[in-house]
Amino acid sequence: MDSTGVPHVLEHTVLCGSRRYPCRDPFFKMLNRSLSTFMNAFTASDYTLYPFSTQNPKDFQNLLSVYLDAAFFPCLRELDFWQEGWRLEHENPKDPQTPLTFKGVVFNEMKGVFTDNERIFSQHLQNRLLPDHTYSVISGGHPLCIPDLTWEQLKQFHATHYHPSNARFFTYGNFPLEQHLKQIHDEALSKFEKIEPNTAVPAQKPWDKPREFHVTCGPDSLAAGSSKQTTVGVSFLLPDITDTFEAFTLNLLSSLLIGGPNSPFYKALIESGLGTDFSPDVGYNGYTREAYFSVGLQGIAEQDSQAVRDIIDRTIEEVIEKGFEEDRIEALLHKIEIQMKHQSVSFGLALTSYIASCWNHDGDPVELLKLGSQVARFRQYLKENPQFLQEKVKQYFKNNPHKLTLSMTPDDKYPEKQAQMETEKLKQKVNSLSPKEKQQIYEKGLELQTQQSRPQDASCLPALKVSDIERTVPLTELEVALAAGETPVQYCAQPTNGVVYFRAFASLHTLPEELRPYVPLFCSVLTKLGCGLMDYREQAQQIELKTGGMAATPHVLPDDAHLDTYEQGVLFSSFCLDRNLPDMMHLWSEIFNSPRFEEEEHFRVLVKMSAQELSNGIPDSGHLYASVRASRTLTPAGDLQETFSGMDQVRLMKRIADMTDIRPVLRKLPRIQKHVLHCGNMRCSMNATPQQMSLAEKAVEKFIRNLGQSKTERKPVRPSVVEKPAPSGSSGSTHLSGPQVIRKLITDPTFKPCQMKTHFLLPFPVNYVGECIRTAPYADPDHASLKILARLMTAKFLHIEIREKGGAYGGGAKLSRDGVFTLYSYRDPRSTETLQSFSKAVDWVKAGRFTEQDIDEAKLSVFSVVDAPVAPSDRGLDHFLCGLSDEMKQAHREQLFAVSREDLIHVSNKYLGLGQSTHGLALLGPENAEIAKDPSWVVR
């Protein structure tokens, strides 16, 4: 009932030790003692979810045991509350004379969350539209309220909420259900008596007239058109989500209103040119007891707010009058059908999330899963009453007085005001302390430090052994054949449930240098501007009616043997129900042969949306942007990666979105097309059921024959191109047959890695830190050792230093396929201190301060990623894209098993020590006095 974040802090604290497993932090320890494919915990507005998954039955029992004990019998120690929630700590914990500051994981997590203006808007929207009860507060916690939470309140909240009478259990998969039920009963349910939890959320009292509200946020330093940063949204309260059919109907209606370029609100709002993109949380939101629908615009000028509101009212009137085209309704029902058939590896998790809210309010979860019967009922209603949807629009949008208009404008002083309020809060807390209490805080801080630094005994926790890992992996049967005489196509027969998956990869090795930065933009608009005789609206309609989506994405693929060699290209991918395969391939032919790059107005709309999305995504992905920038000068591929997906790309898109005349950019697209959209440097792949394969072959053959050849043999522009055959049937492999695929790799013999340190100044209260080191390629045995090393450093050193002691939300080490070793932190209150923690981690590992048990745990953790399930649609993809055969993967697997203590110390000395390999550093975050003084840093 308040914004102290008690459920969120509790979510963290119950995972810090329990009755059967009293060690510190069982959650993070189990990541290294299990082959879990997923482990996490989420706090929503009105429930907390603890999901995990694994493919190993023994592991499932182990994890279930740890999670049950954590939820129902946690230790809830005060020091864990201090570490995870919030605490006062002396700036120098060893000196009680230094000033006190706020610390804590949840505290910094929420500071990071609210650097994102979209999150600020969404949070206010829910708080203001549903003001009567729990939805009027912030369940995750507001940074200024979190320090009001006490340890006593935390324990009290656990006692009243974490009881089996207030819990729901969900399992999915093919392990026997009886075993789960018995374990849940024996370890949890049998130890409690039934109670009345009294946690139901009452219905929101409906308003008799609309309300308006205005809030402020921080300026977006990267958003296009800096004078246009206002957001306005109109939201309507809808019925209870436990009425499953009404919820289904309104969700569908919402998609008809806002989904894609044919929807009324897209035409009226997005194409008005007033803003950049829909306002946050647009559409149907069914995560609260009563759902709501929201629509609006972001990136508008403040004086255009009224115009946007008028457009929304007018559009509602028009929909009531005209209704929807039958084809659009069919396209949506087709989307539901294909989503039901498409298998993702997280299907069980997606179902859990899908039913959680409704079930939490005592709705029927089984009803909710019967999508087929809901579709049938919907069709019946529409047949009996063609006005069915228009009447809903009238009822819930036109004649609904429970309507909120929320506007948000940036305040240049916002970050300073937030910091000022935090300083005030701190002052108020410190001033209320007696000298004795200050002394106690100091002693507690030392005690916490001692606890964090003490070697931990995790022997009470269950664990798998390295011997539980499969020694070999199942082989994937592949067949390669030439279509139209020269284009290699990889066929992979899989149980795809009646869906066909098509991919094409086109090399970019002939593309001139100056066009490279525009490839991501080319990809993002290619399937959205129209093609052949279809304008962009007709094309969008056909894509929705016939496919599960069509996409083009730029790729930089590392070579497995050389760090300075890579392949660059564009991956085209789509999927469809088998009956629609000819239509889908016809759409690709039209897109390749005659894309419509003359749609200037719509191009501008897409550019603005894309620039806005990139800018909005930085607070969530800051560590990734830091890592991409840090690795930029380490390999030739790193530089291209920064061009395609780093801060350079974000800034380029901002510049394009700000241009008054966009035609010079539009004119680059046909130039890129000449290098990409032909079958000269292309390979394709198809994943489908065995019964569909001959159809698939015919469809690809026809597609290739329809494609133009490149008119002239284009010369590669890069320093040199190496032709590398992918392993195939002729290389002694039994499960792969057919001709060889030749990949055109780019190599730069003159490349010299160099060190760069970049600080991106951004108005955030937290930092994102990345340090990258050039190491060894995939096929090198050192790569396997470094992979285990990264996991070992994360679990045994960096997690403790960066998260537990430093208060950052996350941090660790990872090795990517391209041989770049990355140390990073996420939503981190520290910056240069974290860089010091990175070098301490290297010293720690070089000194060999780890045990055989630690190495085994790191191996388990690495194999849980290596052996993560692969969906039928994606099998064979490694071979198709990177030329990785099952034999190469098996060789790498054996190298991982063989990694020894000596190997780990050897690679840490060989690569990670200063002066051994080239390092790159990058930081995203606020002003930094230390860095400003240091001339080796470039500040941008």
PDB file of all heavy atoms in Angstrom, residues 175-194:
ATOM      1  N   PHE A 175       8.009 -33.638 -17.559  1.00  0.00           N
ATOM      2  CA  PHE A 175       8.337 -34.438 -16.377  1.00  0.00           C
ATOM      3  C   PHE A 175       7.008 -34.786 -15.690  1.00  0.00           C
ATOM      4  O   PHE A 175       6.059 -33.996 -15.736  1.00  0.00           O
ATOM      5  CB  PHE A 175       9.223 -33.669 -15.389  1.00  0.00           C
ATOM      6  CG  PHE A 175      10.563 -33.254 -15.944  1.00  0.00           C
ATOM      7  CD1 PHE A 175      11.280 -32.220 -15.353  1.00  0.00           C
ATOM      8  CD2 PHE A 175      11.114 -33.892 -17.053  1.00  0.00           C
ATOM      9  CE1 PHE A 175      12.517 -31.828 -15.851  1.00  0.00           C
ATOM     10  CE2 PHE A 175      12.352 -33.499 -17.567  1.00  0.00           C
ATOM     11  CZ  PHE A 175      13.055 -32.461 -16.961  1.00  0.00           C
ATOM     12  N   PRO A 176       6.928 -35.961 -15.002  1.00  0.00           N
ATOM     13  CA  PRO A 176       5.632 -36.390 -14.432  1.00  0.00           C
ATOM     14  C   PRO A 176       5.095 -35.427 -13.361  1.00  0.00           C
ATOM     15  O   PRO A 176       5.818 -35.058 -12.423  1.00  0.00           O
ATOM     16  CB  PRO A 176       5.929 -37.768 -13.841  1.00  0.00           C
ATOM     17  CG  PRO A 176       7.409 -37.925 -13.852  1.00  0.00           C
ATOM     18  CD  PRO A 176       7.977 -36.973 -14.843  1.00  0.00           C
ATOM     19  N   LEU A 177       3.850 -35.050 -13.532  1.00  0.00           N
ATOM     20  CA  LEU A 177       3.196 -34.083 -12.648  1.00  0.00           C
ATOM     21  C   LEU A 177       3.107 -34.589 -11.203  1.00  0.00           C
ATOM     22  O   LEU A 177       3.281 -33.824 -10.253  1.00  0.00           O
ATOM     23  CB  LEU A 177       1.788 -33.775 -13.190  1.00  0.00           C
ATOM     24  CG  LEU A 177       0.901 -32.880 -12.336  1.00  0.00           C
ATOM     25  CD1 LEU A 177       1.496 -31.486 -12.245  1.00  0.00           C
ATOM     26  CD2 LEU A 177      -0.504 -32.808 -12.900  1.00  0.00           C
ATOM     27  N   GLU A 178       2.845 -35.916 -11.022  1.00  0.00           N
ATOM     28  CA  GLU A 178       2.679 -36.463  -9.667  1.00  0.00           C
ATOM     29  C   GLU A 178       3.887 -36.121  -8.782  1.00  0.00           C
ATOM     30  O   GLU A 178       3.738 -35.780  -7.613  1.00  0.00           O
ATOM     31  CB  GLU A 178       2.507 -37.994  -9.711  1.00  0.00           C
ATOM     32  CG  GLU A 178       1.234 -38.474 -10.391  1.00  0.00           C
ATOM     33  CD  GLU A 178       1.260 -38.321 -11.902  1.00  0.00           C
ATOM     34  OE1 GLU A 178       2.337 -38.036 -12.483  1.00  0.00           O
ATOM     35  OE2 GLU A 178       0.195 -38.469 -12.521  1.00  0.00           O
ATOM     36  N   GLN A 179       5.065 -36.224  -9.376  1.00  0.00           N
ATOM     37  CA  GLN A 179       6.302 -35.942  -8.627  1.00  0.00           C
ATOM     38  C   GLN A 179       6.322 -34.474  -8.155  1.00  0.00           C
ATOM     39  O   GLN A 179       6.638 -34.195  -7.004  1.00  0.00           O
ATOM     40  CB  GLN A 179       7.493 -36.270  -9.553  1.00  0.00           C
ATOM     41  CG  GLN A 179       8.837 -35.754  -9.074  1.00  0.00           C
ATOM     42  CD  GLN A 179       9.269 -36.365  -7.743  1.00  0.00           C
ATOM     43  OE1 GLN A 179       9.108 -37.555  -7.506  1.00  0.00           O
ATOM     44  NE2 GLN A 179       9.808 -35.538  -6.848  1.00  0.00           N
ATOM     45  N   HIS A 180       5.934 -33.536  -9.040  1.00  0.00           N
ATOM     46  CA  HIS A 180       5.913 -32.111  -8.647  1.00  0.00           C
ATOM     47  C   HIS A 180       4.944 -31.902  -7.488  1.00  0.00           C
ATOM     48  O   HIS A 180       5.256 -31.230  -6.512  1.00  0.00           O
ATOM     49  CB  HIS A 180       5.426 -31.195  -9.789  1.00  0.00           C
ATOM     50  CG  HIS A 180       6.125 -31.384 -11.091  1.00  0.00           C
ATOM     51  ND1 HIS A 180       7.414 -31.847 -11.199  1.00  0.00           N
ATOM     52  CD2 HIS A 180       5.698 -31.145 -12.361  1.00  0.00           C
ATOM     53  CE1 HIS A 180       7.745 -31.894 -12.473  1.00  0.00           C
ATOM     54  NE2 HIS A 180       6.724 -31.481 -13.196  1.00  0.00           N
ATOM     55  N   LEU A 181       3.735 -32.480  -7.623  1.00  0.00           N
ATOM     56  CA  LEU A 181       2.696 -32.251  -6.614  1.00  0.00           C
ATOM     57  C   LEU A 181       3.140 -32.803  -5.261  1.00  0.00           C
ATOM     58  O   LEU A 181       2.951 -32.167  -4.221  1.00  0.00           O
ATOM     59  CB  LEU A 181       1.378 -32.907  -7.046  1.00  0.00           C
ATOM     60  CG  LEU A 181       0.743 -32.329  -8.319  1.00  0.00           C
ATOM     61  CD1 LEU A 181      -0.486 -33.121  -8.719  1.00  0.00           C
ATOM     62  CD2 LEU A 181       0.371 -30.859  -8.126  1.00  0.00           C
ATOM     63  N   LYS A 182       3.750 -33.992  -5.298  1.00  0.00           N
ATOM     64  CA  LYS A 182       4.202 -34.610  -4.045  1.00  0.00           C
ATOM     65  C   LYS A 182       5.258 -33.715  -3.369  1.00  0.00           C
ATOM     66  O   LYS A 182       5.185 -33.433  -2.178  1.00  0.00           O
ATOM     67  CB  LYS A 182       4.790 -35.994  -4.340  1.00  0.00           C
ATOM     68  CG  LYS A 182       5.239 -36.728  -3.071  1.00  0.00           C
ATOM     69  CD  LYS A 182       5.745 -38.130  -3.380  1.00  0.00           C
ATOM     70  CE  LYS A 182       6.080 -38.928  -2.149  1.00  0.00           C
ATOM     71  NZ  LYS A 182       6.627 -38.187  -1.013  1.00  0.00           N
ATOM     72  N   GLN A 183       6.221 -33.232  -4.173  1.00  0.00           N
ATOM     73  CA  GLN A 183       7.295 -32.408  -3.604  1.00  0.00           C
ATOM     74  C   GLN A 183       6.752 -31.079  -3.057  1.00  0.00           C
ATOM     75  O   GLN A 183       7.134 -30.654  -1.964  1.00  0.00           O
ATOM     76  CB  GLN A 183       8.368 -32.156  -4.682  1.00  0.00           C
ATOM     77  CG  GLN A 183       9.621 -31.506  -4.120  1.00  0.00           C
ATOM     78  CD  GLN A 183      10.701 -31.313  -5.177  1.00  0.00           C
ATOM     79  OE1 GLN A 183      10.601 -31.824  -6.292  1.00  0.00           O
ATOM     80  NE2 GLN A 183      11.737 -30.566  -4.826  1.00  0.00           N
ATOM     81  N   ILE A 184       5.845 -30.451  -3.795  1.00  0.00           N
ATOM     82  CA  ILE A 184       5.269 -29.176  -3.314  1.00  0.00           C
ATOM     83  C   ILE A 184       4.510 -29.428  -1.997  1.00  0.00           C
ATOM     84  O   ILE A 184       4.605 -28.649  -1.048  1.00  0.00           O
ATOM     85  CB  ILE A 184       4.340 -28.554  -4.387  1.00  0.00           C
ATOM     86  CG1 ILE A 184       5.168 -28.085  -5.593  1.00  0.00           C
ATOM     87  CG2 ILE A 184       3.553 -27.368  -3.825  1.00  0.00           C
ATOM     88  CD1 ILE A 184       4.335 -27.695  -6.815  1.00  0.00           C
ATOM     89  N   HIS A 185       3.791 -30.552  -1.956  1.00  0.00           N
ATOM     90  CA  HIS A 185       3.038 -30.871  -0.744  1.00  0.00           C
ATOM     91  C   HIS A 185       3.980 -31.138   0.434  1.00  0.00           C
ATOM     92  O   HIS A 185       3.846 -30.550   1.510  1.00  0.00           O
ATOM     93  CB  HIS A 185       2.144 -32.092  -0.984  1.00  0.00           C
ATOM     94  CG  HIS A 185       1.375 -32.494   0.236  1.00  0.00           C
ATOM     95  ND1 HIS A 185       1.820 -33.466   1.113  1.00  0.00           N
ATOM     96  CD2 HIS A 185       0.224 -32.012   0.769  1.00  0.00           C
ATOM     97  CE1 HIS A 185       0.966 -33.576   2.117  1.00  0.00           C
ATOM     98  NE2 HIS A 185      -0.005 -32.704   1.929  1.00  0.00           N
ATOM     99  N   ASP A 186       4.968 -32.015   0.212  1.00  0.00           N
ATOM    100  CA  ASP A 186       5.857 -32.418   1.320  1.00  0.00           C
ATOM    101  C   ASP A 186       6.693 -31.253   1.829  1.00  0.00           C
ATOM    102  O   ASP A 186       6.889 -31.104   3.035  1.00  0.00           O
ATOM    103  CB  ASP A 186       6.808 -33.546   0.865  1.00  0.00           C
ATOM    104  CG  ASP A 186       6.042 -34.842   0.589  1.00  0.00           C
ATOM    105  OD1 ASP A 186       4.835 -34.890   0.922  1.00  0.00           O
ATOM    106  OD2 ASP A 186       6.631 -35.778   0.018  1.00  0.00           O
ATOM    107  N   GLU A 187       7.210 -30.428   0.926  1.00  0.00           N
ATOM    108  CA  GLU A 187       8.183 -29.411   1.349  1.00  0.00           C
ATOM    109  C   GLU A 187       7.544 -28.075   1.728  1.00  0.00           C
ATOM    110  O   GLU A 187       8.195 -27.248   2.343  1.00  0.00           O
ATOM    111  CB  GLU A 187       9.240 -29.207   0.254  1.00  0.00           C
ATOM    112  CG  GLU A 187      10.083 -30.458   0.042  1.00  0.00           C
ATOM    113  CD  GLU A 187      11.170 -30.291  -1.017  1.00  0.00           C
ATOM    114  OE1 GLU A 187      11.501 -29.123  -1.348  1.00  0.00           O
ATOM    115  OE2 GLU A 187      11.673 -31.305  -1.520  1.00  0.00           O
ATOM    116  N   ALA A 188       6.270 -27.860   1.322  1.00  0.00           N
ATOM    117  CA  ALA A 188       5.666 -26.560   1.646  1.00  0.00           C
ATOM    118  C   ALA A 188       4.261 -26.691   2.212  1.00  0.00           C
ATOM    119  O   ALA A 188       4.020 -26.395   3.377  1.00  0.00           O
ATOM    120  CB  ALA A 188       5.658 -25.666   0.399  1.00  0.00           C
ATOM    121  N   LEU A 189       3.316 -27.183   1.411  1.00  0.00           N
ATOM    122  CA  LEU A 189       1.896 -27.108   1.803  1.00  0.00           C
ATOM    123  C   LEU A 189       1.601 -27.812   3.121  1.00  0.00           C
ATOM    124  O   LEU A 189       0.833 -27.300   3.948  1.00  0.00           O
ATOM    125  CB  LEU A 189       1.007 -27.697   0.700  1.00  0.00           C
ATOM    126  CG  LEU A 189       1.203 -27.131  -0.709  1.00  0.00           C
ATOM    127  CD1 LEU A 189       0.110 -27.634  -1.642  1.00  0.00           C
ATOM    128  CD2 LEU A 189       1.199 -25.601  -0.713  1.00  0.00           C
ATOM    129  N   SER A 190       2.218 -28.990   3.329  1.00  0.00           N
ATOM    130  CA  SER A 190       1.887 -29.778   4.529  1.00  0.00           C
ATOM    131  C   SER A 190       2.340 -29.087   5.816  1.00  0.00           C
ATOM    132  O   SER A 190       1.948 -29.479   6.901  1.00  0.00           O
ATOM    133  CB  SER A 190       2.559 -31.150   4.433  1.00  0.00           C
ATOM    134  OG  SER A 190       3.967 -30.964   4.379  1.00  0.00           O
ATOM    135  N   LYS A 191       3.167 -28.057   5.688  1.00  0.00           N
ATOM    136  CA  LYS A 191       3.703 -27.411   6.893  1.00  0.00           C
ATOM    137  C   LYS A 191       2.863 -26.198   7.342  1.00  0.00           C
ATOM    138  O   LYS A 191       3.257 -25.456   8.223  1.00  0.00           O
ATOM    139  CB  LYS A 191       5.149 -26.967   6.648  1.00  0.00           C
ATOM    140  CG  LYS A 191       6.026 -28.130   6.124  1.00  0.00           C
ATOM    141  CD  LYS A 191       7.462 -27.962   6.504  1.00  0.00           C
ATOM    142  CE  LYS A 191       8.387 -29.124   6.256  1.00  0.00           C
ATOM    143  NZ  LYS A 191       8.006 -30.179   5.356  1.00  0.00           N
ATOM    144  N   PHE A 192       1.718 -25.982   6.677  1.00  0.00           N
ATOM    145  CA  PHE A 192       0.887 -24.801   6.992  1.00  0.00           C
ATOM    146  C   PHE A 192      -0.571 -25.201   7.195  1.00  0.00           C
ATOM    147  O   PHE A 192      -1.021 -26.216   6.676  1.00  0.00           O
ATOM    148  CB  PHE A 192       0.929 -23.798   5.823  1.00  0.00           C
ATOM    149  CG  PHE A 192       2.261 -23.114   5.654  1.00  0.00           C
ATOM    150  CD1 PHE A 192       3.268 -23.697   4.886  1.00  0.00           C
ATOM    151  CD2 PHE A 192       2.509 -21.870   6.233  1.00  0.00           C
ATOM    152  CE1 PHE A 192       4.494 -23.066   4.712  1.00  0.00           C
ATOM    153  CE2 PHE A 192       3.726 -21.236   6.058  1.00  0.00           C
ATOM    154  CZ  PHE A 192       4.719 -21.827   5.293  1.00  0.00           C
ATOM    155  N   GLU A 193      -1.286 -24.355   7.917  1.00  0.00           N
ATOM    156  CA  GLU A 193      -2.753 -24.466   7.990  1.00  0.00           C
ATOM    157  C   GLU A 193      -3.339 -23.437   7.036  1.00  0.00           C
ATOM    158  O   GLU A 193      -2.766 -22.368   6.855  1.00  0.00           O
ATOM    159  CB  GLU A 193      -3.220 -24.133   9.423  1.00  0.00           C
ATOM    160  CG  GLU A 193      -2.744 -25.109  10.495  1.00  0.00           C
ATOM    161  CD  GLU A 193      -3.300 -26.517  10.292  1.00  0.00           C
ATOM    162  OE1 GLU A 193      -4.501 -26.617   9.955  1.00  0.00           O
ATOM    163  OE2 GLU A 193      -2.527 -27.489  10.424  1.00  0.00           O
ATOM    164  N   LYS A 194      -4.508 -23.736   6.483  1.00  0.00           N
ATOM    165  CA  LYS A 194      -5.148 -22.777   5.569  1.00  0.00           C
ATOM    166  C   LYS A 194      -5.532 -21.498   6.307  1.00  0.00           C
ATOM    167  O   LYS A 194      -5.972 -21.559   7.454  1.00  0.00           O
ATOM    168  CB  LYS A 194      -6.399 -23.426   4.968  1.00  0.00           C
ATOM    169  CG  LYS A 194      -7.064 -22.604   3.876  1.00  0.00           C
ATOM    170  CD  LYS A 194      -8.143 -23.434   3.176  1.00  0.00           C
ATOM    171  CE  LYS A 194      -9.129 -22.639   2.364  1.00  0.00           C
ATOM    172  NZ  LYS A 194      -8.622 -21.637   1.464  1.00  0.00           N
TER     173      LYS A 194
END
